[in-house]
């Protein structure tokens, strides 16, 4: 009995520490875990938020149902979203608060849609808006269902096209040494990928033998797009892609995709991810299963970070676990590398 009470108290203490993470104490928190699997268990065993679902049927008996997590349907970040999605069914999944878990919300929605018998599930969020009329999207998806298992629209952020194609590499010694360097993150630089990686490499469990350092690059990677010249960008991209071992090339199902419901009966989002990384993880598993991916002409605008922001708090609470857990799982998916 005392042992059980001690474990409960320990979990409560860790929860308090997690909620109060800062740049001065994040190392102590993450290094209080003996392994990444222990860290995953902490996140997976956290309380789940209360969830409310609201189904909005389409006006044309669509075979597509979108699952959209949001804080409140009455307080959507974009009021025009319901009207823009009126040609497909929508299952809104309302949840918020300190225990918000994107994967949990999506899984609740996916299970309900499977029960309803919808043929296709759109995996998306409340900060994704159609840029075009999507009246014919149902017809297009049905036309391609024998050829593809997943269909991905064109995605934009501002005027930048975001490729869903991502290459996942095993990080070489050369890259690891270069990235580690002596650079110390500070202030407004915290949102740069180099800085986030530095934060993670300060952790003892990052060097755990079950962790594999990894690099994920999009086909038109926004990290490289920020280089001062095209030549610099091309040279850096060539180097990154050249010295690291390519593990797998995936099409990310987020921020938006339309997936055959049957594919999600046995694969869903891993709820040990806080908010970030769950999309890459699911995309890898679907790719390893041989899911066939096609593309749609319809365009959607992704207002990234609208739900939770991209501030330091999110990096400490979400992005660091994302890197650690993805690295751990990649080692499981590709044990020979």
């Amino acid at each position: 009995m005392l042992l059980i009470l001690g474990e409960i108290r320990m979990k409560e203490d860790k929860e308090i520490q997690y909620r109060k993470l800062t740049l001065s104490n994040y190392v102590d928190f993450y290094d209080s875990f003996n392994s990444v699997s222990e860290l995953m268990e902490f996140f997976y065993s956290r309380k789940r938020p209360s969830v409310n679902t609201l189904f909005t049927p389409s006006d044309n008996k669509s075979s597509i149902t979108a699952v959209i997590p949001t804080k409140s349907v009455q307080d959507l970040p974009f009021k025009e979203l319901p009207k823009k999605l009126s040609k497909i069914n929508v299952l809104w999944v309302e949840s918020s608060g300190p225990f918000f878990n994107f994967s949990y919300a999506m899984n609740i929605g996916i299970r309900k849609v499977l029960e309803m018998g919808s043929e296709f599930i759109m995996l998306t969020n409340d900060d994704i808006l159609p840029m075009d009329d999507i009246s014919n999207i149902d017809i297009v998806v049905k036309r391609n269902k024998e050829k593809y298992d997943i269909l991905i629209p064109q995605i934009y952020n501002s005027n930048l096209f975001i490729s869903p194609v991502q290459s996942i590499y095993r990080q070489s010694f050369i890259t690891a040494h270069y990235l580690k360097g002596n650079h110390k993150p500070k202030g407004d630089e915290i949102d740069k990928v180099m800085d986030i990686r530095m934060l993670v490499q300060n952790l003892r469990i990052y060097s755990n033998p079950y962790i594999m350092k990894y690099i994920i690059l999009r086909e038109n990677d926004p990290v490289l797009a920020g280089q001062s010249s095209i030549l610099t960008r091309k040279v850096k991209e060539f180097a990154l892609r050249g010295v690291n071992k390519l593990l797998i090339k995936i099409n990310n199902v987020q921020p938006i995709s339309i997936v055959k419901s049957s594919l999600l009966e046995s694969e869903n989002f891993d709820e040990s991810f806080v908010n970030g990384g769950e999309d890459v993880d699911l995309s890898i598993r679907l790719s390893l299963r041989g899911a066939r991916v096609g593309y749609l002409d319809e365009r959607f605008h992704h207002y990234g970070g609208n739900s939770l922001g991209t501030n330091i708090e999110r990096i400490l609470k979400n992005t660091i676990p994302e890197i650690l857990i993805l690295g751990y799982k990649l080692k499981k998916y590709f044990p020979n590398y």
Side-chain angles (χ1 to χ4, degrees):
M1 184 66 171
L2 288 174
L3 182 61
I4 294 173
L5 289 173
E7 290 179 352
I8 293 174
R9 179 60 186 271
M10 188 181 300
K11 282 186 177 180
E12 290 175 347
D13 289 344
K14 284 190 181 295
E15 179 64 35
I16 293 170
Q17 293 170 28
Y18 174 69
R19 292 202 203 179
K20 295 182 178 180
L21 284 181
T22 66
L23 280 171
S24 62
N25 65 17
Y26 80 95
V27 173
D28 292 336
F29 171 75
Y30 286 107
D31 280 349
S32 69
F33 297 92
N34 293 313
S35 65
V36 177
S37 57
E38 195 176 292
L39 178 69
M40 290 172 67
E41 176 57 31
F42 165 73
F43 286 121
Y44 196 84
S45 63
R46 293 179 77 216
K47 292 179 182 178
R48 293 294 185 255
S50 59
V51 169
N52 178 57
T53 59
L54 176 66
F55 181 65
T56 306
S58 66
D59 52 20
N60 61 342
K61 296 183 179 180
S62 175
S63 62
I64 304 169
T65 301
V67 176
I68 305 182
T70 187
K71 290 181 180 179
S72 169
V73 175
Q74 301 302 319
D75 190 28
L76 290 169
F78 302 103
K79 302 297 183 184
E80 66 270 36
L81 183 58
K83 185 177 180 180
K84 285 182 174 288
L85 295 179
S86 63
K87 297 301 179 182
I88 62 173
N89 308 309
V90 178
L91 184 74
W92 307 93
V93 185
E94 297 179 319
S95 67
S96 60
F99 293 105
F100 173 75
N101 182 302
F102 179 83
S103 295
Y104 175 69
M106 289 297 286
N107 287 341
I108 290 286
I110 289 169
R111 284 195 291 270
K112 284 190 173 292
V113 173
L114 289 174
E115 290 171 4
M116 287 189 281
S118 185
E119 190 174 1
F120 304 98
I121 299 178
M122 178 185 283
L123 305 175
T124 184
N125 209 338
D126 65 358
D127 57 4
I128 309 291
L129 278 176
M131 297 169 66
D132 304 314
D133 178 11
I134 61 169
S135 300
N136 295 322
I137 197 167
D138 203 88
I139 296 171
V140 175
V141 169
K142 284 181 177 178
R143 187 188 301 149
N144 285 282
K145 69 177 183 178
E146 299 302 324
K147 191 175 181 181
Y148 302 112
D149 304 301
I150 302 171
L151 286 162
I152 302 178
Q154 296 184 60
I155 309 160
Y156 289 82
N157 192 324
S158 297
N159 293 320
L160 177 67
F161 169 70
I162 304 173
S163 172
V165 181
Q166 293 176 290
S167 298
I168 303 176
Y169 299 87
R170 184 196 188 284
Q171 186 170 294
S172 71
F173 171 79
I174 296 172
T175 311
H177 181 73
Y178 169 75
L179 288 173
K180 194 159 188 177
N182 294 313
H183 180 72
K184 300 297 180 185
K186 59 183 184 297
D188 58 358
E189 295 182 350
I190 200 71
D191 62 339
K192 295 179 182 176
V193 169
M194 182 82 75
D195 297 328
I196 297 171
R197 187 171 295 276
M198 272 299 304
L199 292 179
V200 177
Q201 289 180 332
N202 285 334
L203 303 174
R204 172 182 57 81
I205 55 174
Y206 184 69
S207 301
N208 183 300
Y210 296 107
I211 284 293
M212 177 171 61
K213 291 82 173 175
Y214 69 93
I215 293 175
I216 299 178
L217 293 178
R218 289 188 183 273
E219 288 301 290
N220 57 341
D221 200 83
V223 175
L224 299 172
Q227 296 300 314
S228 57
S229 70
I230 294 178
L231 179 62
T232 302
R233 184 178 76 222
K234 291 295 184 185
V235 169
K236 195 168 184 178
E237 182 174 4
F238 177 81
L240 284 172
R241 296 186 189 278
V243 301
N244 298 293
K245 171 66 179 179
L246 178 63
L247 298 178
I248 192 170
K249 185 171 285 190
I250 65 169
N251 286 271
N252 202 331
V253 295
Q254 291 276 267
I256 183 170
S257 62
I258 299 172
V259 184
K260 282 183 179 177
S261 297
S262 57
L263 207 59
L264 297 172
E265 289 177 352
S266 56
E267 299 286 356
N268 57 19
F269 289 97
D270 185 343
E271 294 173 21
S272 59
F273 287 99
V274 189
N275 192 286
E278 67 286 316
D279 54 343
V280 176
D281 176 58
L282 177 59
S283 300
I284 291 170
R285 283 184 275 122
L286 292 175
S287 181
L288 290 173
R289 285 191 56 181
R292 301 162 300 170
V293 180
Y295 305 102
L296 298 171
D297 291 332
E298 282 78 7
R299 300 176 302 162
F300 285 73
H301 195 289
H302 178 217
Y303 297 85
N306 184 78
S307 299
L308 294 178
T310 55
N311 53 24
I312 293 175
E313 182 181 6
R314 182 171 186 182
I315 289 170
L316 296 176
K317 290 183 176 180
N318 297 10
T319 311
I320 287 179
E322 170 188 347
I323 293 173
L324 292 169
I325 295 171
L326 259 180
Y328 175 85
K329 297 192 77 172
L330 280 166
K331 184 63 177 174
K332 300 292 184 182
Y333 297 144
F334 305 99
N336 297 325
Y337 296 101

